[in-house]
Amino acid sequence: GAVVSQHPSRVICKSGTSVKIECRSLDFQATTMFWYRQFPKQSLMLMATSNEGSKATYEQGVEKDKFLINHASLTLSTLTVTSAHPEDSSFYICSASSRAGGSFLSYNEQFFGPGTRLTVL
Amino acid sequence: GENVEQHPSTLSVQEGDSAVIKCTYSDSASNYFPWYKQELGKRPQLIIDIRSNVGEKKDQRIAVTLNKTAKHFSLHITETQPEDSAVYFCAASSPGRRALTFGSGTRLQVQP
């Protein structure tokens, strides 16, 4: 149980274009999803927290107009990188958790997607 | 906000030896401390976690200890194997801020 998928796994785009990344919880309802960014040989840095049906909460220094997050259902959150530039090239990872917990879920535990490698040329 | 510091940044051990990675946190409200193993280009994998009402937890060769007073927690891997080689991250979260704050990572190399 507790499987999170992410699509696409890898994307290469031209500077100035927009890229959408999907994060899905496959076997549980994710009341909260988190988006992280990881640069090479660095740690995971939280970008934003999204709760189903409400606006995302962005971390300081993360531009909400550039990184659009939508959490329209309990199983899907999307991150759109708008007007991408080479400095946006990174590994983007989502995670999901359930506030309700459950038979196999812990209140605190987060389940990570496989990540999306974004390369902006 | 929460700040998590992790040491060492790199650790090389001989196969069969033990490895210890240490983390400190700043927010006394933090109550959940997971440890993740990440291989290159892959997602972080939870290997063990501990909550603030417990001082120690063990799962086969892996153990975690937590000192709430000193605000530090440690990962212990015994009888290391080459397949333990990876980057390990500690993290912390609190009831008020469920997002994880990660440490900077430790690159563990187990020499055969």
Side-chain angles (χ1 to χ4, degrees):
Chain A
V3 177
V4 176
S5 70
Q6 206 171 320
H7 178 81
S9 58
R10 186 180 297 267
V11 58
I12 301 173
C13 69
K14 292 183 178 180
S15 186
T17 61
S18 295
V19 174
K20 180 184 283 189
I21 302 170
E22 292 187 348
C23 178
R24 293 182 184 272
S25 58
L26 300 185
D27 52 3
F28 69 102
Q29 293 185 328
T31 50
T32 306
M33 287 187 170
F34 306 90
W35 287 94
Y36 296 87
R37 180 167 52 183
Q38 186 176 32
F39 291 108
K41 298 187 177 181
Q42 293 188 23
S43 187
L44 286 80
M45 298 299 295
L46 179 70
M47 299 176 67
T49 301
S50 75
N51 293 296
E52 185 265 339
S54 63
K55 290 184 178 180
T57 302
Y58 289 81
E59 293 300 291
Q60 193 171 7
V62 177
E63 301 174 55
K64 62 180 181 180
D65 294 330
K66 180 170 181 61
F67 298 99
L68 302 178
I69 292 173
N70 183 279
H71 191 166
S73 77
L74 285 172
T75 60
L76 173 65
S77 177
T78 60
L79 166 67
T80 302
V81 183
T82 62
S83 187
H85 291 285
E87 56 265 32
D88 298 324
S89 298
S90 187
F91 193 50
Y92 291 86
I93 309 177
C94 69
S95 71
S97 70
S98 173
R99 185 174 294 278
S103 60
F104 64 90
L105 296 175
S106 156
Y107 177 78
N108 300 92
E109 191 171 356
Q110 294 184 23
F111 301 93
F112 285 87
T116 297
R117 174 78 54 194
L118 171 63
T119 303
V120 184
L121 303 177
Chain B
E2 174 69 282
N3 182 47
V4 178
E5 295 193 357
Q6 183 172 346
H7 299 280
S9 57
T10 60
L11 180 59
S12 182
V13 299
Q14 290 295 124
E15 182 177 359
D17 288 349
S18 295
V20 180
I21 302 170
K22 298 182 179 181
C23 289
T24 60
Y25 61 99
S26 61
D27 187 355
S28 57
S30 290
N31 67 342
Y32 177 63
F33 308 93
W35 285 89
Y36 292 91
K37 175 183 180 182
Q38 188 181 32
E39 296 177 351
L40 189 63
K42 297 191 176 180
R43 78 184 86 192
Q45 287 185 302
L46 179 70
I47 56 172
I48 196 167
D49 57 14
I50 193 167
R51 287 170 175 77
S52 58
N53 59 344
V54 176
E56 184 173 357
K57 184 177 178 180
K58 189 173 182 179
D59 182 4
Q60 300 183 335
R61 297 187 297 110
I62 296 172
V64 57
T65 58
L66 171 65
N67 184 326
K68 285 169 51 182
T69 303
K71 289 191 278 189
H72 67 70
F73 56 113
S74 301
L75 176 71
H76 304 252
I77 305 175
T78 59
E79 300 172 32
T80 54
Q81 301 165 3
E83 50 266 38
D84 293 330
S85 297
V87 179
Y88 291 80
F89 292 99
C90 63
S93 71
S94 64
R97 177 181 164 83
R98 297 182 65 214
L100 293 168
T101 300
F102 283 85
S104 53
T106 297
R107 184 171 298 278
L108 174 64
Q109 184 74 38
V110 181
Q111 306 289 347

